[in-house]
Amino acid sequence: MEVIIKSSYEEMSKTSAQIIAREIKKKHDLVLGLATGDTPLGTYKELVRLHKEEGLDFSKVKTFNLDEYIGLDPLDKNSYNHFMWENLFKHVNINSENVYVPQGNTDDPEEFCSWYEKKIEETGGIDLQILGIGGDGHIAFNEPGSSFASRTRVKALVKQTIEDNSRFFDTEEDVPRFAITMGVGSILDAKKIILIANGKNKAAVCAEFIEGPITSQITASALQLHTLATVVLDDEASSKLKRKEYYNWVRDNKQTVQKRIGR
Ligand code: PGA
């Protein structure tokens, strides 16, 4: 896992947006896995800027979102579909036919989940997956205990997630208890992964998933099994890492080493 530590939330967001933009420029029909939450807001803002000011082209990009609450209409202001349109899709030249967000109000969630997995497969699989991390170490809504082999399915949210996410709803009772989520196995199939995290409330969980044991109790630790996973943190989220000096040394010397070995 490559760990990149940036001085602020803005720098973290710029770095992750640059990684995404670089991949879109390399492959115009990139299949991008997207996340919601507060963490990726700055990244999406920077992608919008890159589109508006530097012509970053989303016309052939396909996107798959990680998750959606069960029971919410796609137009509900708390749905992840609404979040994505408000914060990214409507500001760039993406084709709405290329956008996939799990359908929270489906009549048949199981059938929908198999369809979603098939759809991802048909596009050739996710090229680059963006992730945040929950306070309980979840990636997407893969709560503690989720199998590392899990695929897109319905998952019950844990108390901590319901409390964490209640800030977006009028009351805690309004937070849906179930979600459709891509599985840990679906996420690990992505060719490349970037996980972003910021703030001191993420410091302990970041130290656990990066430097602790691989465990289904912290599903982000599954990233240790992936060959091309990059973690971009701000200074606060990195504050409990033991090997910070090493990560910074690698970051500062990577280009010199790559040049020397001719890559
Ligand atoms: P946050 O959520 O970005 O709002 O902290 C992350 C998550 O729960 O995955």
Side-chain angles (χ1 to χ4, degrees):
M1 228 190 292
E2 182 177 10
V3 181
I4 302 174
I5 300 162
K6 304 304 285 188
S7 56
S8 64
Y9 175 73
E10 286 68 33
E11 290 304 312
M12 176 206 82
S13 303
K14 270 192 201 152
T15 301
S16 58
Q18 275 159 11
I19 296 173
I20 299 166
R22 198 172 60 215
E23 295 297 321
I24 295 176
K25 285 181 200 158
K26 271 202 277 185
K27 184 174 185 259
H28 295 293
D29 57 350
L30 193 80
V31 183
L32 194 54
L34 294 173
T36 52
D38 282 335
T39 316
L41 281 173
T43 302
Y44 296 155
K45 209 167 147 203
E46 178 61 9
L47 285 175
V48 171
R49 193 197 66 75
L50 288 171
H51 167 69
K52 294 207 157 122
E53 293 176 16
E54 297 179 24
L56 183 64
D57 182 15
F58 287 81
S59 61
K60 295 198 169 56
V61 171
K62 292 195 177 77
T63 65
F64 285 91
N65 263 80
L66 285 169
D67 44 18
E68 179 63 282
Y69 291 115
I70 293 256
L72 294 194
D73 187 274
L75 299 178
D76 190 291
K77 71 175 182 14
N78 283 312
S79 75
Y80 287 164
N81 178 67
H82 178 80
F83 173 101
M84 288 310 305
W85 280 97
E86 285 304 305
N87 293 299
L88 180 64
F89 299 150
K90 80 173 188 193
H91 307 287
V92 296
N93 64 334
I94 199 153
N95 179 345
S96 59
E97 285 176 10
N98 290 340
V99 163
Y100 298 92
V101 180
Q103 196 188 329
N105 64 350
T106 172
D107 290 336
D108 191 341
E110 253 176 64
E111 168 79 28
F112 179 84
C113 293
S114 336
W115 176 85
Y116 203 68
E117 284 278 334
K118 263 194 225 109
K119 202 76 209 168
I120 296 174
E121 205 183 305
E122 270 171 35
T123 63
I126 292 175
D127 292 304
L128 177 64
Q129 176 66 58
I130 319 305
L131 298 173
I133 181 168
D136 63 354
H138 69 207
I139 44 174
F141 274 132
N142 292 292
E143 300 290 32
S146 294
S147 162
F148 282 5
S150 53
R151 311 302 305 187
T152 305
R153 69 210 185 290
V154 174
K155 190 78 195 162
L157 307 186
V158 301
K159 198 164 173 282
Q160 185 179 352
T161 301
I162 293 166
E163 280 166 16
D164 287 350
N165 292 5
S166 64
R167 66 190 192 277
F168 300 111
F169 292 82
D170 294 335
T171 69
E172 201 176 300
E173 278 61 53
D174 294 334
V175 184
R177 268 37 184 178
F178 294 91
I180 292 178
T181 180
M182 273 167 57
V184 180
S186 331
I187 293 170
L188 289 178
D189 279 353
K191 293 172 192 100
K192 288 185 186 170
I193 298 178
I194 326 176
L195 185 149
I196 52 178
N198 69 288
K200 50 181 182 308
N201 61 335
K202 297 282 173 76
V205 81
C206 284
E208 283 186 276
F209 94 86
I210 296 168
E211 297 178 336
I214 297 176
T215 167
S216 68
Q217 295 308 305
I218 297 175
T219 52
S221 68
L223 264 57
Q224 294 181 29
L225 299 167
H226 197 280
T227 51
L228 289 174
T230 302
V231 180
V232 189
L233 304 176
D234 76 344
D235 207 37
E236 287 186 340
S238 75
S239 59
K240 289 198 159 66
L241 291 173
K242 290 198 187 81
R243 305 177 67 228
K244 215 167 150 172
E245 212 179 297
Y246 171 74
Y247 308 132
N248 287 336
W249 187 90
V250 172
R251 182 198 58 202
D252 296 341
N253 292 279
K254 197 175 146 188
Q255 281 181 345
T256 323
V257 174
Q258 279 175 336
K259 254 187 227 145
R260 232 179 258 164
I261 60 173
R263 283 169 67 189

